[in-house]
Amino acid sequence: MDWPARSPDLNPIEHVWDALGRRIGARHPSPRTLVGLRTALLDKWGLLPLDLLQSLVNSMRARCETLIAVRETLVLLKLEFGNENVNKLTTFRWFSRYKNGMESVKDEKRVGRPILHRNPEKVRHISNLKVNPRLGLQDIEEETGIS
């Protein structure tokens, strides 16, 4: 298992670091010094729920099985389509999507603004703006009415 052993999915400490990072990122104010960061890490480390750590340990067998299956799938895809056309990360993403019930390779619908959120009037308005390095994003939003 040379590839999966280097995978972040098989390294539970990566998930612990992620949990710690999210908890420290939510602190207000954020630590501003190395001593403050060390103190925050030690405080948050002691508050990590034991069920989080236990679930990471308990999920290792399923993680190994998934990565072995992905590796086998990757080998088959490379045989079919060639080495340069398939990569590990894409294969893992596809595998995860199908395992979780997706039935198509099309992207899921995304929330938010459509990509083509421009019209000729907005383009003309932006083009007519005078370049002013002192204008901030909020100033430009107010002037153009575009957020």
Side-chain angles (χ1 to χ4, degrees):
M1 281 184 29
D2 57 336
W3 165 48
R6 290 180 275 150
S7 171
D9 291 311
L10 283 181
N11 192 348
I13 196 66
E14 294 298 327
H15 296 277
V16 174
W17 281 121
D18 179 58
L20 282 172
R22 281 185 276 118
R23 285 169 171 77
I24 289 173
R27 285 176 62 123
H28 295 289
S30 300
R32 298 192 182 272
T33 65
L34 287 176
V35 172
L37 179 60
R38 183 179 188 275
T39 302
L41 281 168
L42 291 173
D43 290 345
K44 295 299 180 181
W45 177 263
L47 297 174
L48 280 177
L50 289 179
D51 59 332
L52 167 72
L53 303 174
Q54 191 62 49
S55 69
L56 289 172
V57 171
N58 292 342
S59 66
M60 286 306 295
R61 179 182 178 111
R63 289 169 193 251
C64 289
E65 289 171 351
T66 297
L67 288 172
I68 290 169
V70 169
R71 185 177 188 194
E72 292 168 354
T73 303
L74 179 64
V75 169
L76 294 173
L77 287 170
K78 284 186 175 184
L79 284 173
E80 185 67 29
F81 299 107
N83 282 342
E84 63 279 348
N85 296 321
V86 182
N87 67 47
K88 295 173 191 174
L89 182 59
T90 302
T91 304
F92 184 77
R93 286 181 181 156
W94 287 346
F95 193 90
S96 297
R97 285 181 179 180
Y98 285 108
K99 186 177 177 185
N100 292 326
M102 277 196 81
E103 297 177 359
S104 170
V105 294
K106 293 182 181 178
D107 285 340
E108 293 177 325
K109 294 192 180 219
R110 297 184 177 125
V111 296
R113 221 179 283 176
I115 293 173
L116 298 174
H117 185 71
R118 66 174 131 171
N119 62 43
E121 180 185 336
K122 289 181 181 178
V123 171
R124 193 169 36 260
H125 194 74
I126 297 294
S127 299
N128 291 334
L129 279 177
K130 294 182 180 173
V131 176
N132 182 349
R134 293 184 177 182
L135 280 181
L137 185 58
Q138 191 172 8
D139 299 323
I140 294 171
E141 287 177 357
E142 288 173 6
E143 189 171 328
T144 61
I146 301 171
S147 61

